[in-house]
Amino acid sequence: MYDYNNFDEGFVRNRVSQFRAQVARRISGALTEDEFKPLRLMNGVYLQLHAYMLRVAIPYGSLNPHQMRQLAMIAERWDKGYGHWTTRQNIQYNWPRLADIPDMLEALADVGMHAIQTSGNTIRNVTADHFAGAAADEIEDPRPTAELLRQWSTDHPEFQFLPRKFKLAVTGSKADRAVTKAHDIGIRIVKNDAGEVGYQILVGGGLGRTPVVGQVLKDFLPREDLLPYVEAVVSVYNTLGRRDNKYKARIKITTMENGIDKIHDLVEARFAQLRPQFSGIDQAHFADISANFKAPEFKTASLDGYHAARDADPIFRSWSDTNVDDHRANGYGIVTISMKAHGATPGDADGNQMRMIADLAEQFGHGDIRISHEQNVVLPHVHRADLPAVFATLRAHGLATANAGLISDIIACPGMDYCALATARSIPVAQEIAERFDELKIEHDVGHLQIKISGCINACGHHHLGHIGILGLDRAGVENYQITLGGDAGPDTTIGKRAGPGFAYDQIVPAIERLVLAYLDLREDESETFIDAFRRLGEAPFKAALYPEEDKTHAA
Amino acid sequence: MPRPFTPKVVTANDLVEGDVIYLAHDGAWVRDMCMAWLIEDEDEAATQLALAETQPEIAVGPYLAGAKACPVGPVPTHFREVFRANGPSNRAHGKQASAPVAAHAYAKAAAHV
Ligand code: HEM
Ligand code: SF4
């Protein structure tokens, strides 16, 4: 794990005391809201429907137990006892008082965390694969690269006022658990024919009102060119990106309007200018960072107890099949702690749960914790011999739901229950779908199926990338839900297509149920997932299940 | 043709707490929508909104929200305002935690919006 250096510490403390003074001036009336708003946003403070919201960055989703306990303390002391994990590896506190936020930021600084650049038109939290450093299929741990980018982008003087927010994601594995193609810049660690490790650079992906899949800008970039190259991309965007229309300001639009070839030429030209300014110190620095991410001392232990527990307890077996992934070290597994108990708010964790996870990480997980973009928590390094004990603790705290990657493992944005921009609710739809499929007891039979829900076209809930996507809208003053089908967040990222007219609030769960039951009828066998069946059969049979009445009219 | 004016309340977020507030008839800001001033006259609504905008030390982002008269007081006519008046639907937080009676009325009203 990387330790924040003195520069970070001083810089963050300084920002907190500046913000404390700004809050005081706002409360005294010396600053107007128009003057204050950009200042609060620079510190991750939004004003939502019922309260302020503080968004805290969790760089590449990595936390240590000490930090996790501090997040719990903050939730209990200044919020309503819980926090919310987001798809961009942040935690959001939904209920702070404005006057308390400087204290919350101070408490974060105590554990090397902050809320800087979690809002505004700047480079946001750098995200990465939540299985980083653990996954069996990894070429290289993406965290040192993400950390180098974090340090380079934090307070970068040129990039504080970009045309729009800017998001970077890094993956070290072909499976791409970081959704690199849906980011402004996606960085994939790859190997060339000579066996050298470098980067493939993708550009122009993004969701929101115009969802776009990123394109390859550079097939292979040597490691030492990373910072000047990324700087060149952001710099070209900073010059070329549109500032006249906020909906056309993202680099995805810049890329569409100018064409990838022109962007490529401009980036190469800018790169040629910038390259000499990077003396190579960044590479020495990268080596230092990498040393801080060295793998833990993996232990060897007998797997007998693990196998015995699997044989003896079908509930444990089901959980370990669904929520434990292969690790690169012998005997180890990667544990996904589902924050999606049936009926719970996706991504919410209370203080007790956070502390319990911190304890587990210390006791069984080499002190490492991750937050996934799927709003779950991951213990990346657990020896399988310890899984029965981990499971028992999770179960005692209601966190052992065996549904990672299944239909109730839903990504849902806060929607109209919290978000000031929402046009409909997301959370209760997710809750009801999860409860419905829990009642039907077919979740495990249905297998891998991603449902993603957003409460407006901004697409924070990634609905375009859901195998089944749900978008909440306001149709003449009532909530209405549009379904998209065929999206996928995997390495061959696909944007789902709208299935047809939307459904009323009380019709959306039955519609999803018809869709899933149709899939069970249509699939070739159990190994054919929903998305595979959809790709094989096309949308027609799924639309027929969604709109049975229409089907009858056509038949008549 | 201009749309006919429908009754409104002046609403905003409280500067320090961030929670939803409404303008009452006596010019005070109240937490419960049932105590808000239901303004039936278009010019009056514009005047009160303009006045609210001069109080940035209390009210952040004031605007006019549609409402209608009900025995308990004004109730929202759009579902967004139902959540603002009431609190989130996934947890018993917000207004519904502090004013359960009003919350019940809004929940009932919400069924009709
Ligand atoms: C509640 C406060 C929030 C506000 C005001 C907000 C606002 C926005 C806006 C305006 C966009 C569209 C940006 C654009 O296309 O230019 C957006 C996109 C997005 N937001 Fe949020 N959001 C909020 C919460 C969240 C949460 C809780 C998550 C995760 C669960 C999230 C993750 C995302 C993601 C992944 C996008 C994707 C669009 C992209 O960058 O391509 N946001 N958000
Ligand atoms: S998708 Fe819309 S409703 Fe949901 S969090 Fe994002 S901005 Fe809010």
Side-chain angles (χ1 to χ4, degrees):
Chain A
M1 177 101 24
Y2 184 74
D3 292 321
Y4 283 58
N5 57 27
N6 293 341
F7 169 78
D8 287 305
E9 164 96 28
F11 170 72
V12 170
R13 297 272 178 205
N14 205 3
R15 269 294 275 277
V16 175
S17 66
Q18 268 176 11
F19 187 57
R20 192 180 290 283
Q22 289 158 353
V23 168
R25 274 183 278 147
R26 176 68 185 95
I27 292 175
S28 77
L31 285 178
T32 64
E33 184 62 19
D34 285 349
E35 289 162 341
F36 179 63
K37 189 173 173 185
L39 303 174
R40 72 165 152 79
L41 288 176
M42 278 173 72
N43 292 283
V45 181
Y46 288 73
L47 183 52
Q48 298 204 76
L49 228 46
H50 317 285
Y52 288 93
M53 181 271 277
L54 175 64
R55 180 183 289 158
V56 178
I58 303 171
Y60 33 91
S62 277
L63 283 175
N64 63 38
H66 187 47
Q67 292 171 321
M68 186 64 126
R69 289 194 187 100
Q70 191 78 338
L71 295 182
M73 187 281 281
I74 291 171
E76 287 170 349
R77 180 146 174 210
W78 292 294
D79 205 282
K80 292 189 187 293
Y82 65 95
H84 182 74
W85 315 119
T86 83
T87 47
R88 296 220 70 258
Q89 298 179 320
N90 298 303
I91 183 169
Q92 295 189 173
Y93 290 107
N94 279 328
W95 300 91
R97 294 169 72 240
L98 181 58
D100 291 336
I101 294 176
D103 290 342
M104 297 168 81
L105 293 173
E106 197 82 55
L108 288 167
D110 291 345
V111 293
M113 297 182 74
H114 60 72
I116 294 164
Q117 290 181 205
T118 59
S119 178
N121 295 331
T122 180
I123 298 176
R124 300 289 187 88
N125 187 31
V126 179
T127 57
D129 183 352
H130 42 267
F131 290 175
D137 56 15
E138 187 168 274
I139 297 170
E140 180 185 277
D141 186 342
R143 286 173 304 161
T145 296
E147 173 59 22
L148 184 71
L149 289 163
R150 182 193 75 81
Q151 293 187 20
W152 158 83
S153 63
T154 304
D155 206 33
H156 193 301
E158 216 181 306
F159 302 143
Q160 296 304 309
F161 298 98
L162 293 169
R164 199 74 177 84
K165 60 180 168 179
F166 204 86
K167 300 174 177 177
L168 270 59
V170 192
T171 180
S173 134
K174 278 207 173 97
D176 193 358
R177 284 166 292 260
V179 210
T180 54
K181 278 195 172 177
H183 284 76
D184 296 284
I185 297 181
I187 297 162
R188 292 175 165 181
I189 295 172
V190 290
K191 252 190 200 155
N192 66 9
D193 294 340
E196 294 154 335
V197 174
Y199 303 106
Q200 184 188 55
I201 307 292
L202 305 158
V203 75
L207 302 175
R209 70 172 60 207
T210 317
V212 182
V213 172
Q215 302 177 61
V216 175
L217 188 62
K218 188 91 178 171
D219 230 359
F220 186 85
L221 185 73
R223 160 116 62 221
E224 57 275 18
D225 290 346
L226 181 71
L227 284 190
Y229 196 83
V230 171
E231 182 150 326
V233 178
V234 185
S235 157
V236 164
Y237 164 64
N238 202 10
T239 317
L240 213 58
R242 288 180 57 172
R243 293 172 198 265
D244 59 320
N245 180 341
K246 123 180 210 203
Y247 301 113
K248 301 203 165 166
R250 298 286 295 268
I251 197 174
K252 62 189 173 186
I253 308 288
T254 318
T255 308
M256 286 195 296
E257 286 183 348
N258 292 277
I260 187 85
D261 294 337
K262 180 169 170 196
I263 299 288
H264 179 262
D265 293 348
L266 290 170
V267 168
E268 291 292 333
R270 183 78 182 122
F271 173 70
Q273 291 170 339
L274 286 170
R275 186 66 190 90
Q277 295 171 27
F278 284 76
S279 61
I281 288 178
D282 57 314
Q283 288 311 293
H285 194 52
F286 180 80
D288 286 348
I289 293 172
S290 297
N292 273 306
F293 283 99
K294 59 178 180 296
E297 302 259 324
F298 294 121
K299 67 177 183 184
T300 44
S302 157
L303 289 172
D304 292 352
Y306 164 68
H307 290 299
R310 279 181 64 87
D311 290 343
D313 180 359
I315 300 178
F316 170 70
R317 187 168 62 235
S318 163
W319 174 82
S320 63
D321 282 344
T322 309
N323 289 36
V324 181
D325 281 84
D326 290 341
H327 197 282
R328 65 191 170 84
N330 246 344
Y332 271 75
I334 305 170
V335 172
T336 295
I337 302 174
S338 166
M339 304 308 295
K340 321 281 178 69
H342 301 115
T345 300
D348 275 6
D350 68 30
N352 287 333
Q353 293 173 330
M354 291 186 211
R355 268 190 299 272
M356 185 270 291
I357 292 169
D359 293 347
L360 279 182
E362 241 158 31
Q363 211 182 337
F364 301 111
H366 297 277
D368 201 348
I369 306 165
R370 310 291 169 75
I371 308 304
S372 79
H373 80 266
E374 280 145 346
Q375 302 181 287
N376 289 321
V377 181
V378 173
L379 298 177
H381 315 291
V382 181
H383 196 280
R384 287 181 187 267
D386 296 326
L387 286 177
V390 168
F391 174 71
T393 306
L394 290 174
R395 203 165 173 209
H397 287 81
L399 283 183
T401 314
N403 66 345
L406 303 185
I407 198 167
S408 62
D409 185 7
I410 298 171
I411 295 179
C413 83
M416 200 176 273
D417 285 309
Y418 297 90
C419 179
L421 303 177
T423 43
R425 284 174 298 165
S426 303
I427 293 168
V429 176
Q431 290 172 312
E432 285 174 31
I433 292 173
E435 282 176 330
R436 183 72 189 125
F437 282 91
D438 189 38
E439 280 161 17
L440 292 172
K441 296 287 168 231
I442 56 172
E443 171 159 40
H444 285 265
D445 189 22
V446 169
H448 182 57
L449 204 175
Q450 293 181 316
I451 298 186
K452 303 182 191 235
I453 311 178
S454 305
C456 83
I457 52 172
N458 286 327
C460 300
H462 287 196
H463 66 273
H464 301 291
L465 305 182
H467 300 153
I468 301 174
I470 302 176
L471 165 61
L473 295 169
D474 176 343
R475 283 275 175 268
V478 292
E479 290 168 298
N480 188 274
Y481 294 88
Q482 229 170 51
I483 292 183
T484 54
L485 293 173
D488 190 28
D492 300 317
T493 310
T494 314
I495 307 278
K497 276 221 227 63
R498 205 185 125 187
F503 294 88
Y505 182 81
D506 59 356
Q507 292 304 310
I508 184 69
V509 179
I512 300 294
E513 187 179 330
R514 288 199 298 281
L515 196 56
V516 174
L517 293 179
Y519 150 71
L520 290 178
D521 280 346
L522 290 162
R523 70 180 175 189
E524 271 178 334
D525 56 47
E526 281 174 24
S527 70
E528 192 181 42
T529 60
F530 178 91
I531 186 69
D532 289 342
F534 180 84
R535 285 176 181 152
R536 176 172 61 84
L537 295 162
E539 60 186 3
F542 296 93
K543 275 172 103 164
L546 278 176
Y547 304 102
E549 291 309 315
E550 207 167 284
D551 210 37
K552 268 186 227 142
T553 2
H554 286 306
Chain B
M1 225 182 45
R3 280 211 247 152
F5 180 77
T6 55
K8 300 280 188 300
V9 293
V10 181
T11 181
N13 286 78
D14 177 76
L15 172 64
V16 177
E17 301 292 329
D19 62 343
V20 177
I21 52 176
Y22 302 94
L23 188 71
H25 209 275
D26 61 359
W29 289 95
V30 294
R31 252 61 183 174
D32 294 343
M33 193 176 179
C34 54
M35 290 160 69
W37 176 10
L38 185 67
I39 308 176
E40 317 234 5
D41 177 78
E42 186 162 11
D43 292 340
E44 184 69 61
T47 306
Q48 293 305 326
L49 178 61
L51 272 175
E53 279 162 356
T54 65
Q55 304 174 53
E57 71 290 357
I58 305 174
V60 183
Y63 65 93
L64 297 172
K68 61 185 181 187
C70 215
V72 282
V75 293
T77 52
H78 188 278
F79 67 94
R80 180 176 193 270
E81 294 303 323
V82 174
F83 296 117
R84 287 186 76 243
N86 220 8
S89 62
N90 66 320
R91 288 176 183 265
H93 287 339
K95 306 293 183 198
Q96 60 200 337
S98 53
V101 176
H104 180 70
Y106 296 136
K108 265 177 75 181
H112 303 288
V113 297

